[in-house]
Amino acid sequence: MVAVRASGANILHADLDAFYASVEQRDDTRLRGRPVIVGSGVVMAASYEARACGVRSAMGGGRARMLCPHAVWVPPRMEAYAEASKQVFSLFDDVTPLVEPISVDEAFLDVSGSVHLFGEPAEIAAKLRTRALVEVGLPLSVGAARTKFLAKVASQQAKPDGMCIVPVDGELEFLHPLPVEVLWGVGPVTATKLHDHGIDTVGDLAGANGAELGGFLGPHAGRHLRALAHNRDPRPVDTTRRDRTMGAQRALGQKVRTREELRREVLG
């Protein structure tokens, strides 16, 4: 099922905050308010208390321990995270059938057909946040906007544990002062190129010459980023979307491994 795009700020992006670490803090009261790192050799997730020290997902354990020596390390419990995700997604399903999962801890929701039942998008977002906290025990940040892109930007601006509603008549006023790094497709390399050309904010990019952007970013990337800078994102919430990849990781530590040992790990 694919949603029909409505004219209002009816797209929600709901994102659980520091998901794995939040589950650990929920289930063990001793961890609440303390820096928590999920993982062993590599950081799988970090609580906001650990993030305040500079710890980030996918960071090596040695670096994380140096940045946050007082952090509590806990092994991952994937079954607990899967169950928590299932509970939160059931809350989404209570609001609308138009839910597009992005990962175990975030999704887009189109609530354009739900407002006559549950109120305006801001009311729906507030109720979802309350239910996630009361019924599942997890903080949920929600952004609402007319497009998927802007809804995700709004939820990121609302973190941690907040809500941000972007009115249709204030989209560019909200978007343009933000740094270019909020745009999908702007990683460290692209950001450096943009900054080198004096483009620091989304507004700078929106006003940039398209041909010049294409010259140093490539024509496709230039068009894509300029479209986002003007909040042009026609993609609807798509419930037919399914994950197309699977991944797994295991830290091998510092021990020297034989070729056969490495072969078994890669095949596994």
Side-chain angles (χ1 to χ4, degrees):
M1 183 184 297
V2 177
V4 176
R5 178 58 48 81
S7 59
N10 296 320
I11 305 300
L12 307 186
H13 180 259
D15 195 357
L16 289 160
D17 298 327
F19 178 44
Y20 292 179
S22 292
V23 172
E24 298 299 337
Q25 290 177 318
R26 178 198 67 180
D27 293 349
D28 186 346
T29 57
R30 297 170 300 176
L31 299 178
R32 296 176 187 174
R34 301 177 65 184
V36 174
I37 298 175
V38 178
S40 54
V42 176
V43 176
M44 293 182 65
S47 69
Y48 278 92
E49 295 85 356
R51 294 183 188 187
C53 298
V55 179
R56 296 292 182 268
S57 296
M59 179 179 287
R63 174 69 173 163
R65 287 182 173 87
M66 183 179 70
L67 290 172
C68 195
H70 55 294
V72 180
W73 286 75
V74 296
R77 298 182 300 132
M78 304 310 296
E79 290 185 2
Y81 311 146
E83 178 59 28
S85 174
K86 180 180 177 181
Q87 292 173 347
V88 172
F89 271 79
S90 71
L91 303 181
F92 300 160
D93 291 334
D94 287 346
V95 170
T96 175
L98 299 173
V99 178
E100 179 181 337
I102 304 302
S103 65
V104 295
D105 59 350
E106 64 175 313
F108 288 109
L109 294 74
D110 188 317
V111 298
S112 56
S114 306
V115 293
H116 66 292
L117 293 174
F118 304 114
E120 293 300 310
E123 297 177 71
I124 295 173
K127 291 173 183 175
L128 281 175
R129 282 173 29 77
T130 298
R131 290 191 65 189
L133 189 60
V134 172
E135 298 178 28
V136 190
L138 296 175
L140 180 72
S141 292
V142 182
R146 183 175 54 87
T147 65
K148 287 168 67 174
F149 157 68
L150 199 56
K152 184 171 176 67
V153 171
S155 73
Q156 297 306 304
Q157 296 301 304
K159 282 183 172 291
D161 192 19
M163 182 175 76
C164 178
I165 312 298
V166 183
V168 174
D169 59 358
E171 293 174 342
L172 299 186
E173 289 82 355
F174 167 79
L175 181 60
H176 281 181
L178 298 177
V180 290
E181 284 82 357
V182 304
L183 297 175
W184 287 343
V186 177
V189 173
T190 301
T192 298
K193 291 180 181 179
L194 291 169
H195 292 317
D196 288 345
H197 286 80
I199 299 173
D200 300 316
T201 68
V202 178
D204 293 337
L205 196 149
N209 181 279
E212 292 180 4
L213 281 176
F216 65 86
L217 293 179
H220 174 73
R223 287 192 300 269
H224 167 71
L225 293 180
R226 284 196 84 239
L228 293 183
H230 290 279
N231 194 32
R232 292 197 291 267
D233 178 18
R235 300 168 309 143
V237 170
D238 183 2
T239 62
T240 65
R241 182 184 184 277
R242 293 293 181 269
D243 290 337
R244 293 186 293 270
T245 61
M246 292 180 61
Q249 63 180 3
R250 177 171 175 235
L252 299 179
Q254 301 296 317
K255 178 183 174 181
V256 176
R257 306 280 175 164
T258 66
R259 183 178 295 273
E260 180 57 29
E261 288 175 322
L262 293 175
R263 176 178 173 277
R264 286 198 300 267
E265 293 291 344
V266 172
L267 288 176

